[in-house]
Amino acid sequence: GENVEQHPSTLSVQEGDSAVIKCTYSDSASNYFPWYKQELGKGPQLIIDIRSNVGEKKDQRIAVTLNKTAKHFSLHITETQPEDSAVYFCAAPNRGGTSYGKLTFGQGTILTVHP
Amino acid sequence: DAGVIQSPRHEVTEMGQEVTLRCKPISGHDYLFWYRQTMMRGLELLIYFNNNVPIDDSGMPEDRFSAKMPNASFSTLKIQPSEPRDSAVYFCASSLRRDRATNEKLFFGSGTQLSVL
């Protein structure tokens, strides 16, 4: 099965700074990589995803980059705001290829944005 | 749409008791997933259904765990008998296979916090 490693486990930034979270995966057949944000007391919510046929995808202040050769992908948040504070999870299909919802999640990154 | 609805939000029970967690997926979604979240193991897939049929239950930890989906709008996860190590947050999620791109997107409920004493 897939193995997903996520770093760092905690990240503290000042409001307005950028935040970067990195993940590596093991199965070269994986071709779908989502990022989820989990706020306290809530379920994970999809914030952005990328497929293996592109190297980068942006959505306003968030972006994801993918390096298939190195088998790693990263989440970039620019101009961070206190409401970005949450736990962020990367994921990959748990048996390679497409996921259809069957995901292996990283360990999570606790992001704290200080006003 | 109200999103994925789970009940109860919190459940405290004693070891040995039966626990039933409930889930109502988003209307029209044809895939339903049960995930478990713990500090030690993170988010783990337990079982998933397609059109109410269980497809893969390889993540279910033991025979004490069972899941059913009697119709498209309701699923249950049952633990009998419960043990303290079952304490976790249990999430239900659903997705729609309109096309491959759409089907990838999981929508999670708010979870059930289970504590087994």
Side-chain angles (χ1 to χ4, degrees), chain A residues 33-35 46-50 57-59 62-64 75:
Chain A
F33 307 94
W35 285 90
L46 178 70
I47 55 172
I48 195 168
D49 55 12
I50 191 169
K57 182 177 179 181
K58 287 184 179 181
D59 183 3
I62 59 173
V64 57
L75 177 71

Side-chain angles (χ1 to χ4, degrees), chain A residues 31-32 36 38 41-46 49 51 57 89 94-95 98-103 105, chain B residues 9 31 33 35 37 43 45 48 56 58 91 95 97 100-106 108-110:
Chain A
N31 60 12
Y32 174 71
Y36 285 82
Q38 186 176 23
K42 297 183 179 180
Q45 180 180 13
L46 178 70
D49 55 12
R51 298 187 184 281
K57 182 177 179 181
F89 293 93
N94 70 357
R95 289 197 179 96
T98 56
S99 75
Y100 299 116
K102 306 183 299 294
L103 298 171
F105 285 85
Chain B
R9 286 299 309 273
Y31 280 79
F33 304 82
Y35 278 85
Q37 186 175 39
L43 274 160
L45 176 63
Y48 80 96
D56 185 350
S58 59
F91 289 104
S95 68
R97 191 174 180 177
R100 190 186 75 175
T102 308
N103 182 227
E104 305 279 27
K105 300 182 189 301
L106 277 183
F108 283 84
S110 295

Side-chain angles (χ1 to χ4, degrees), chain B residues 60-108:
Chain B
M60 297 285 260
E62 298 173 37
D63 291 344
R64 299 183 295 106
F65 287 70
S66 62
K68 294 182 180 180
M69 192 166 184
N71 57 63
S73 59
F74 184 65
S75 177
T76 60
L77 178 66
K78 184 177 294 186
I79 308 173
Q80 166 62 20
S82 58
E83 296 183 3
R85 60 194 166 120
D86 301 332
S87 297
V89 181
Y90 290 81
F91 289 104
C92 176
S94 69
S95 68
L96 171 64
R97 191 174 180 177
R98 181 185 305 121
D99 51 53
R100 190 186 75 175
T102 308
N103 182 227
E104 305 279 27
K105 300 182 189 301
L106 277 183
F107 295 84
F108 283 84

Side-chain angles (χ1 to χ4, degrees), chain B residues 29-41:
Chain B
H29 280 194
D30 54 354
Y31 280 79
L32 183 140
F33 304 82
W34 284 99
Y35 278 85
R36 178 172 69 173
Q37 186 175 39
T38 62
M39 288 295 294
M40 291 296 296
R41 300 175 66 89

